[in-house]
Amino acid sequence: NAGVMQNPRHLVRRRGQEARLRCSPMKGHSHVYWYRQLPEEGLKFMVYLQKENIIDESGMPKERFSAEFPKEGPSILRIQQVVRGDSAAYFCASSKWGGPGYEQFFGPGTRLTVL
Amino acid sequence: GQQLNQSPQSMFIQEGEDVSMNCTSSSIFNTWLWYKQDPGEGPVLLIALYKAGELTSNGRLTAQFGITRKDSFLNISASIPSDVGIYFCAGPNNNDMRFGAGTRLTVKP
């Protein structure tokens, strides 16, 4: 039973380019969460999605960032026109049920470096 | 929003020693979770606590959910080198998980 999968594991982009991060949840999980982690810090919530729906995007920057979780295929976190401050580790988590209190299982993360 | 404060920020211990770290909040949580993160990896769930006063063990790890629901501690007994990593407490906040800043553990053989 595979865990949460993320790819790529490492991504290097120049300022102004687009970054696309992919996440496949655990089998049987239909709730996906994206977090961002800066060095020496904890994880900060960005967005919570179910299939084809954004449930909560209160942690997502208003511009340049978007997320989707289509009916088929992985969840995608998209960052347009990247800037140096976007450099961070981005983690995806999934859970079987949604809402507070349900255990979330994390992927290995994508480390984004913006040159 | 709910803030989680972890202490200590870092610990340097000798292999075989016991470790204790804790997490406090200014507001009540109904669930406490403890995660461990190895370098270059995502957090892995160690222990989940669902009831105030609950004491739960997972091998050499023991965690307790404080009676006030505003704190939790994690103990590791007889530490080994592979315990090295960052330990995070976390609690649900609306639809997401709120994380502490972590306790970085170093174990010297």
Side-chain angles (χ1 to χ4, degrees), chain A residues 24-39:
Chain A
S24 296
M26 282 179 70
K27 191 176 178 181
H29 288 194
S30 58
H31 301 264
V32 165
Y33 311 78
W34 285 93
Y35 292 82
R36 176 162 64 177
Q37 185 179 35
L38 295 171

Side-chain angles (χ1 to χ4, degrees), chain A residues 9 35 40 45 103-104, chain B residues 35 37 40 50 96-97 104:
Chain A
R9 292 292 304 271
Y35 292 82
E40 310 297 319
F45 168 75
E103 296 168 13
Q104 296 180 13
Chain B
Y35 287 86
Q37 186 177 25
Y50 298 105
D96 63 284
M97 202 68 68
R104 188 179 297 270

